[in-house]
Amino acid sequence: MDVFVVAVMIERSFQMFTSALGTWIPFTLIFLSSWSTGVLVARPEGR
């Protein structure tokens, strides 16, 4: 989504993907929060 909407249509540059702070750290945080939510929701009851 970021590649097609933000990089191509809005900024018209792929330079945002070269910055760890601007792109890769937020992607990692989003992934980790989604994964941890899935782990917590998938726990069997009684634990």
Side-chain angles (χ1 to χ4, degrees):
M1 181 88 170
D2 278 343
V3 171
F4 296 110
V5 175
V6 178
V8 175
M9 298 173 82
I10 297 173
E11 292 191 14
R12 299 194 167 128
S13 170
F14 289 98
Q15 188 170 357
M16 67 180 277
F17 294 105
T18 61
S19 167
L21 185 61
T23 303
W24 301 111
I25 292 173
F27 282 165
T28 304
L29 293 173
I30 291 167
F31 170 77
L32 289 174
S33 64
S34 299
W35 177 76
S36 61
T37 301
V39 168
L40 292 173
V41 169
R43 284 189 179 172
E45 290 189 33
R47 284 189 179 184

